[in-house]
Amino acid sequence: DTAVSQTPKYLVTQMGNDKSIKCEQNLGHDTMYWYKQDSKKFLKIMFSYNNKELIINETVPNRFSPKSPDKAHLNLHINSLELGDSAVYFCASSQEWRKTYEQYFGPGTRLTVT
Amino acid sequence: GNSVTQMEGPVTLSEEAFLTINCTYTATGYPSLFWYVQYPGEGLQLLLKATKADDKGSNKGFEATYRKETTSFHLEKGSVQVSDSAVYFCALMKTSYDKVIFGPGTSLSVIP
């Protein structure tokens, strides 16, 4: 059983398009995250949701809009894609109440903007 | 602010060599410390963790000890294998509502 899944795994699109990435976790966790990993492997947190409520919103262009329809899902919509948006995007989840804080990551979505 | 510093890579070792990847942190209070590993083409996965000073985390032959006096959490393994080739991230977290602070990652290549 996949714990944290993302779709699609690869996404190639042109500048100016709008695209979405979906994330689902079946771990029963109440906190979910989006990260961006650049070509040098540097990880940057973008957003975090706890029980469908936004709790972390880093300095991210407002072209990026997360949406959490329920605790198990966190989607990322990107408007007007730019070349600099090319990266690998990771979804992650954690169970806060256990106080262990480790995060479980999805396999990533490699976004290429041409 | 909170931060994590790791030794720069890439690190290349021969199989069965001893591995150390240095990690130091800056944070107030008592953060939890983690090592995550990212194998090629995959997401990160937790390798080990420590939640208080002098704790030793261990997994798959890897170890790291939470040293508050030196604000360090160095990763070690006595004998690396080719399958250990990956990127290793040191990380800290203060509370469940804080963001995790990741280090820049250290790429390890183990050659036969």
Side-chain angles (χ1 to χ4, degrees), chain B:
Chain B
N2 301 329
S3 66
V4 175
T5 303
Q6 287 179 238
M7 62 186 287
E8 286 192 25
V11 174
T12 302
L13 294 174
S14 297
E15 210 165 16
E16 299 183 3
F18 184 86
L19 169 71
T20 299
I21 300 178
N22 290 337
C23 170
T24 56
Y25 68 90
T26 301
T28 56
Y30 299 89
S32 293
L33 301 175
F34 307 86
W35 277 101
Y36 283 84
V37 59
Q38 183 179 24
Y39 298 104
E42 298 183 10
L44 281 72
Q45 54 186 275
L46 180 69
L47 181 59
L48 53 84
K49 66 178 182 184
T51 57
K52 60 183 187 296
D54 300 325
D55 265 3
K56 178 186 279 188
S58 61
N59 186 25
K60 299 181 181 180
F62 291 89
E63 291 184 341
T65 301
Y66 189 142
R67 301 285 188 201
K68 181 114 179 107
E69 64 277 13
T70 54
T71 62
S72 65
F73 193 54
H74 304 322
L75 183 68
E76 296 182 336
K77 186 175 185 182
S79 176
V80 293
Q81 305 301 311
V82 171
S83 57
D84 294 326
S85 298
V87 181
Y88 292 81
F89 294 88
C90 185
L92 72 81
M93 190 173 190
K94 294 274 303 279
T95 70
S96 57
Y97 285 97
D98 280 344
K99 59 186 179 183
V100 175
I101 307 296
F102 284 93
T106 302
S107 176
L108 170 67
S109 293
V110 180
I111 54 178

Side-chain angles (χ1 to χ4, degrees), chain A residues 1-5 23-29 72 93 104-106:
Chain A
D1 262 354
T2 304
V4 182
S5 59
C23 177
E24 175 180 4
Q25 54 95 2
N26 62 7
L27 298 167
H29 290 170
S93 71
Y104 294 76
F105 283 77

Side-chain angles (χ1 to χ4, degrees), chain A residues 33-37 43-47 88-92 103 105, chain B residues 99-100 102:
Chain A
Y33 311 81
W34 277 112
Y35 287 90
K36 179 180 180 181
Q37 186 176 48
L43 265 176
K44 176 184 175 182
I45 190 166
M46 302 172 70
F47 304 101
V88 181
Y89 292 84
F90 287 101
C91 177
Q103 297 186 1
F105 283 77
Chain B
K99 59 186 179 183
V100 175
F102 284 93

Side-chain angles (χ1 to χ4, degrees), chain A residues 60-84:
Chain A
V60 176
N62 58 15
R63 298 182 295 103
F64 291 79
S65 53
K67 189 165 288 187
S68 182
D70 55 58
K71 276 185 7 175
H73 296 85
L74 180 61
N75 303 323
L76 182 66
H77 188 76
I78 315 170
N79 289 327
S80 303
L81 278 154
E82 300 178 356
L83 292 176

